[in-house]
Amino acid sequence: MPVTIKDIAKAANVSRGTVDRALNDRGGVNPDVSARIKTIAAEMGYKPNTIAKALATHAKPIRLGAVINSLGNPFFDKVLEGIHAAVESLHDYGISIDIRKIRGYDPQRQLYEMRQLREIGIDGLVITPVPDTKVRDELNDMIRSGVRVTCCNLDIDDVNYQAYVGCDYFCSGQTAGEIIGATTHGEANLAIITSSHALYTHEMRVKGAESVLKEYPNIHICEYIEAGDDEDLSYHEVLRLLKQDKKIDILYFVTGGTTGGLKAIHELHQEDRLRAYTFDLIPAVIEDLKSGLIVSTIDQQPYMQGFQSVRTLFDAILSRHTPARKQIFTELNIKNRYNISS
Amino acid sequence: MPVTIKDIAKAANVSRGTVDRALNDRGGVNPDVSARIKTIAAEMGYKPNTIAKALATHAKPIRLGAVINSLGNPFFDKVLEGIHAAVESLHDYGISIDIRKIRGYDPQRQLYEMRQLREIGIDGLVITPVPDTKVRDELNDMIRSGVRVTCCNLDIDDVNYQAYVGCDYFCSGQTAGEIIGATTHGEANLAIITSSHALYTHEMRVKGAESVLKEYPNIHICEYIEAGDDEDLSYHEVLRLLKQDKKIDILYFVTGGTTGGLKAIHELHQEDRLRAYTFDLIPAVIEDLKSGLIVSTIDQQPYMQGFQSVRTLFDAILSRHTPARKQIFTELNIKNRYNISS
DNA sequence: ATGAAAGCGCTAACAT
DNA sequence: ATGTTAGCGCTTTCAT
């Protein structure tokens, strides 16, 4: 039989209202009484009933906002799926979400949408924050004004957010490096295709792989290509590379530009000579896992990232107190042609 | 503004009680009136509020039972964690669980615990069912008497359960085969250590791997060892094998006996000469992933298996109607030394 | 067969 | 600063 606020009230010889105020730090309670109530609650092993809490609060529905750079990036489809599923699962709590999809890592556009949402009035925000000082400042400003924020997929420095939900990028790079080493038997001439050295997260993937690959004397990193977040640019760059450098036999796609790069390989009919290593399970990757061009890819649970971002926000909004800023790392999972389940 | 039963009551000119009775087919309501109420509810787009429903029903708590063969098998620790987490997450709904842990795949013991739980009285059961006709019959009998059942980790034929929650064993075998092929560069003399050919699920892992490895002309499966579910037996068998057959260089542990087998390798100081491929992330495996003896292991999300087993049960019990018997496959994920996150 | 009312655990507005 | 009370949406007696 779980202990309720009523039990505590009786034990502390106060009213239920007072217990509620004390336990939730709503103020207007004698500090001594408040402390006593809290002690008693702890002793009795009190756990608030979220259901009842939600029912009682239900009057004012929770409004969420999301700014996701999903346009033209199929990876984020899964993130959005997770977001929708989470909102759906919270339907009974009277929750709604306004999702703004933007293209690429553009701070201006992101700021615009953030301000729009802020004007409408939201209780929580899910965002894939661009590393930009203005974005950072706006986020901190929103947080100060009471909006809860979770950063999804992309972490950002100096923002006092609720949580970062995403993968450990350096670790994902190490994991990739290890696979490359093991499956090439330590013999490879590598080209690394990354989006931009400025994108810290992707740079971590490069560094992670390098840290492992340096153990292999016969694996040479011959080329670094920056393809932005642009499939077309990536396509042309990889095309150029493969035409000019015939000894490259392994391509390591850090992300962003993977689809374009794969297209270039096929166009030059070099599927047999080359092997590729990628991240995520976007359609183009799945196809070439099956064709055998891609040896393996590393999944970072995008669905989970979306799902958890929303749930974390919800939990934070429902329980008034601010839990510590935290990082929720999703699992990194290696996939080959046989275990592409989702 | 969601429509409530109050709205329907007003629209239909009846009381809330009648609406509730009609909508939930509780009987004792004029068929015509009932039909009218249902029509109106549908027209208004009524969706019952599960939260309020749970709060109101809260009086009679849901009682769950579990029979898990976790003793001496560290894999199931994670399953149990998932079970506990799910029960915890449903705390507000007033749920409790009685977990019976048994050792190995013993039908007698399992039957005993099932009957015990049945006597106590439970609404739902999570079980790792041993393939046995008596177990099968008892399960079907329980189901007929109204108890909901989910099979966790182990599937069983001819049982009309709510759901099977676990991995696709054949697929996990294929995945392992593919890794072995890729990381040995198609050159290997393999020994397969399995628990028992009688355990259909583990046999699927062998078949799955074989189906992929037959593509590699220079990978030879030299030995099949049956080690039961016994670490000690496995230890001795592997010891014997390695002493006698010097050309074996790859060991494929299907599961059950992995810990014992690894111990044998270390004892003979053959860590450098041999490489192992395993399943799951049990402590011994994690250790040898780090040491480099194990190239990779395949995780099947045991936590998720436990978690989902309970949630599925809960959903089925709460929503009176019986959803179709279904199979919920957890993801299969390849892990190497760098992405052992959990 | 139907209505009225109490209550699940909590919050919030209103008294004191 | 603290107590009282009226709900949130639904279920479940108890009347009628």
Side-chain angles (χ1 to χ4, degrees):
Chain A
M1 195 58 29
V3 23
T4 75
I5 210 171
K6 211 160 140 189
D7 302 327
I8 299 172
K10 190 154 47 177
N13 242 314
V14 293
S15 74
R16 290 152 56 197
T18 305
V19 174
D20 177 55
R21 280 185 289 261
L23 255 29
N24 294 287
D25 295 313
R26 291 187 219 284
V29 177
N30 186 310
D32 295 347
V33 178
S34 177
R36 191 162 54 89
I37 290 175
K38 282 180 179 172
T39 312
I40 292 176
E43 272 172 3
M44 297 178 78
Y46 170 72
K47 285 187 180 184
N49 185 323
T50 338
I51 296 181
K53 191 173 271 199
L55 231 207
T57 320
H58 187 297
K60 54 158 178 41
I62 295 170
R63 302 179 60 108
L64 262 33
V67 181
I68 311 283
N69 46 298
S70 60
L71 261 30
N73 192 337
F75 168 80
F76 284 101
D77 291 347
K78 292 261 182 235
V79 175
L80 288 170
E81 255 183 57
I83 290 178
H84 280 123
V87 171
E88 183 66 21
S89 81
L90 296 170
H91 162 268
D92 291 334
Y93 291 85
I95 210 173
S96 69
I97 193 164
D98 187 341
I99 300 178
R100 307 299 177 96
K101 303 171 187 172
I102 64 178
R103 184 173 303 276
Y105 300 92
D106 175 12
Q108 286 313 315
R109 185 83 190 140
Q110 196 159 70
L111 274 168
Y112 173 77
E113 298 295 353
M114 286 168 70
R115 284 171 183 151
Q116 284 261 315
L117 286 171
R118 198 173 175 183
E119 209 160 302
I120 292 172
I122 52 174
D123 306 302
L125 174 72
V126 178
I127 189 170
T128 48
V130 179
D132 175 273
T133 56
K134 284 197 163 175
V135 168
R136 181 197 64 196
D137 293 344
E138 178 75 14
L139 280 174
N140 275 324
D141 212 50
M142 286 179 83
I143 292 164
R144 255 192 305 276
S145 77
V147 179
R148 308 292 183 137
V149 172
T150 59
C151 294
C152 180
N153 188 260
L154 247 38
D155 206 346
I156 184 169
D157 286 332
D158 305 317
V159 170
N160 192 31
Y161 53 64
Q162 203 62 56
Y164 159 67
V165 181
C167 78
D168 178 332
Y169 282 91
F170 186 77
C171 186
S172 69
Q174 289 179 300
T175 306
E178 174 77 4
I179 307 170
I180 294 173
T183 53
T184 59
H185 263 211
E187 301 270 349
N189 291 312
L190 210 65
I192 298 180
I193 296 89
T194 180
S195 54
S196 151
H197 295 315
L199 243 189
Y200 182 74
T201 52
H202 293 170
E203 194 61 11
M204 281 300 96
R205 282 210 180 132
V206 175
K207 295 255 185 281
E210 284 173 344
S211 77
V212 173
L213 290 176
K214 70 167 192 281
E215 305 293 331
Y216 295 85
N218 294 323
I219 291 186
H220 308 289
I221 302 178
C222 309
E223 292 278 349
Y224 289 88
I225 294 181
E226 273 194 72
D229 204 40
D230 190 303
E231 299 302 340
D232 213 49
L233 178 57
S234 171
Y235 164 72
H236 287 294
E237 287 289 311
V238 173
L239 212 57
R240 191 186 49 72
L241 172 75
L242 294 179
K243 277 179 180 163
Q244 134 203 329
D245 192 335
K246 301 293 187 195
K247 72 173 191 305
I248 295 289
D249 55 1
I250 300 292
L251 293 168
Y252 174 44
F253 288 98
V254 166
T255 215
T258 304
T259 303
L262 291 171
K263 188 177 153 203
I265 297 174
H266 286 297
E267 198 144 308
L268 294 175
H269 301 292
Q270 303 213 0
E271 300 95 339
D272 292 337
R273 200 180 66 71
L274 297 168
R275 284 295 169 269
Y277 296 81
T278 61
F279 287 93
D280 306 327
L281 277 168
I282 56 177
V285 166
I286 291 174
E287 207 167 298
D288 278 320
L289 267 172
K290 287 177 182 161
S291 82
L293 170 56
I294 297 175
V295 177
S296 72
T297 194
I298 298 174
D299 183 66
Q300 57 171 310
Q301 307 204 117
Y303 179 93
M304 202 63 174
Q305 290 184 9
F307 194 89
Q308 282 284 78
S309 295
V310 171
R311 296 292 301 217
T312 305
L313 221 44
F314 172 76
D315 290 344
I317 293 170
L318 215 67
S319 78
R320 309 289 210 97
H321 59 33
T322 315
R325 181 181 189 276
K326 65 179 167 185
Q327 297 188 297
I328 301 170
F329 289 120
T330 50
E331 265 187 63
L332 292 166
N333 291 317
I334 307 166
K335 299 285 184 177
N336 66 25
R337 66 195 307 176
Y338 290 107
N339 66 332
I340 332 166
S341 48
S342 53
Chain B
M1 195 56 35
V3 24
T4 75
I5 85 176
K6 209 161 143 188
D7 303 326
I8 300 171
K10 190 155 46 179
N13 242 313
V14 293
S15 74
R16 290 153 55 192
T18 305
V19 174
D20 177 57
R21 280 186 287 261
L23 255 29
N24 294 286
D25 295 314
R26 288 188 222 284
V29 50
N30 187 310
D32 295 347
V33 178
S34 176
R36 190 161 55 91
I37 290 175
K38 282 181 179 170
T39 313
I40 292 176
E43 272 171 4
M44 298 178 76
Y46 171 71
K47 281 188 179 184
N49 185 322
T50 343
I51 298 182
K53 192 173 269 200
L55 229 209
T57 319
H58 187 308
K60 54 160 178 40
I62 295 171
R63 302 179 62 109
L64 262 32
V67 181
I68 311 284
N69 46 297
S70 61
L71 260 31
N73 192 337
F75 168 81
F76 284 101
D77 291 346
K78 292 264 182 233
V79 175
L80 288 170
E81 256 183 57
I83 289 178
H84 280 123
V87 171
E88 183 68 21
S89 81
L90 295 169
H91 162 266
D92 292 335
Y93 292 85
I95 210 173
S96 69
I97 193 164
D98 187 340
I99 300 177
R100 306 300 177 94
K101 303 172 188 172
I102 65 179
R103 184 174 304 275
Y105 300 92
D106 176 12
Q108 287 312 315
R109 185 83 190 140
Q110 197 159 70
L111 274 167
Y112 173 77
E113 297 296 352
M114 285 168 70
R115 285 172 183 150
Q116 284 261 316
L117 287 170
R118 199 174 174 182
E119 210 160 304
I120 291 173
I122 52 174
D123 307 301
L125 173 72
V126 178
I127 190 170
T128 48
V130 179
D132 176 272
T133 57
K134 284 198 165 176
V135 169
R136 182 199 62 195
D137 294 343
E138 178 74 15
L139 279 174
N140 276 324
D141 212 50
M142 286 180 84
I143 293 165
R144 254 192 305 276
S145 78
V147 178
R148 310 288 184 138
V149 172
T150 59
C151 294
C152 179
N153 189 259
L154 247 39
D155 206 346
I156 184 168
D157 286 332
D158 305 317
V159 170
N160 191 30
Y161 53 63
Q162 203 63 54
Y164 158 67
V165 182
C167 79
D168 178 333
Y169 282 92
F170 185 78
C171 186
S172 69
Q174 289 179 300
T175 306
E178 173 77 4
I179 307 169
I180 294 173
T183 52
T184 59
H185 263 211
E187 300 268 350
N189 291 310
L190 210 65
I192 299 180
I193 296 89
T194 181
S195 54
S196 151
H197 295 315
L199 243 190
Y200 182 73
T201 52
H202 292 170
E203 194 61 10
M204 282 299 97
R205 282 210 180 132
V206 175
K207 295 257 185 279
E210 284 173 344
S211 77
V212 172
L213 291 175
K214 70 168 191 280
E215 305 292 331
Y216 295 86
N218 294 322
I219 292 187
H220 308 289
I221 302 177
C222 309
E223 292 277 349
Y224 290 88
I225 295 181
E226 273 194 71
D229 205 41
D230 190 301
E231 299 301 341
D232 213 49
L233 178 56
S234 170
Y235 163 73
H236 287 294
E237 286 291 309
V238 173
L239 212 56
R240 190 186 50 72
L241 171 76
L242 293 179
K243 278 180 179 161
Q244 135 203 329
D245 192 335
K246 301 293 187 195
K247 72 173 192 305
I248 295 288
D249 54 1
I250 300 292
L251 293 167
Y252 174 44
F253 288 99
V254 167
T255 215
T258 303
T259 302
L262 291 171
K263 187 176 154 204
I265 297 174
H266 286 297
E267 199 144 307
L268 295 174
H269 302 292
Q270 303 212 2
E271 301 94 338
D272 293 336
R273 200 180 67 70
L274 296 168
R275 284 295 170 269
Y277 295 82
T278 60
F279 286 94
D280 306 327
L281 278 167
I282 56 176
V285 166
I286 291 174
E287 207 166 297
D288 277 320
L289 267 172
K290 287 178 182 160
S291 82
L293 170 57
I294 297 175
V295 178
S296 73
T297 193
I298 297 174
D299 182 66
Q300 58 172 309
Q301 307 203 117
Y303 180 93
M304 201 64 174
Q305 291 182 9
F307 194 90
Q308 282 285 76
S309 294
V310 171
R311 295 294 300 217
T312 305
L313 223 43
F314 173 76
D315 290 343
I317 294 170
L318 213 68
S319 77
R320 309 288 207 96
H321 58 34
T322 314
R325 181 182 191 276
K326 64 180 168 185
Q327 296 187 299
I328 300 171
F329 289 120
T330 50
E331 265 187 64
L332 292 166
N333 291 315
I334 307 165
K335 299 285 186 177
N336 67 25
R337 67 196 307 177
Y338 290 107
N339 66 332
I340 332 165
S341 48
S342 51

